[in-house]
Amino acid sequence: TVSLTKTKKGFLFEVFNTAEPIDESEIKGLWNVLERQDSSRTRKENSTGMGLPICKRIFDIHGFKYECRNADGGIIFSIMGEARK
């Protein structure tokens, strides 16, 4: 599920994925290059571990705040940005 909400200062963009919870100690590592939360995924499956690190770099360049958190039945990725004048 994808949502985009206007906030007082800008926007909140969220993506909800149905999935098993991620251990809290591993959430920060999701944004690191070549980290894979799911150790069962292999290169054969076309996974490089680069998707979230690339997103992180784009968010950092634009000054967006971002997070990943567990929710009932899945995981939420949130991106928050301020309106520019």
Side-chain angles (χ1 to χ4, degrees):
T1 305
V2 177
S3 67
L4 178 61
T5 308
K6 184 176 179 180
T7 65
K8 290 181 182 180
K9 293 185 178 183
F11 71 88
L12 170 63
F13 178 77
E14 291 188 314
V15 177
F16 172 82
N17 289 323
T18 55
E20 293 296 317
I22 298 173
D23 188 277
E24 292 295 326
S25 65
E26 295 178 1
I27 286 180
K28 281 189 178 183
L30 290 177
W31 304 101
N32 297 335
V33 175
L34 303 178
E35 285 282 329
R36 292 192 188 114
Q37 193 275 329
D38 184 356
S39 59
S40 67
R41 295 177 79 183
T42 65
R43 186 71 175 116
K44 290 182 210 174
E45 294 178 9
N46 247 354
S47 176
T48 63
M50 294 294 293
L52 288 176
I54 290 169
C55 290
K56 175 187 184 299
R57 181 69 177 134
I58 292 168
F59 301 154
D60 289 343
I61 288 169
H62 291 285
F64 297 160
K65 295 178 183 174
Y66 50 90
E67 68 177 11
C68 172
R69 66 185 185 282
N70 291 309
D72 288 338
I75 301 163
I76 298 175
F77 290 89
S78 300
I79 299 95
M80 298 137 289
E82 292 187 16
R84 297 185 180 182
K85 296 180 182 183

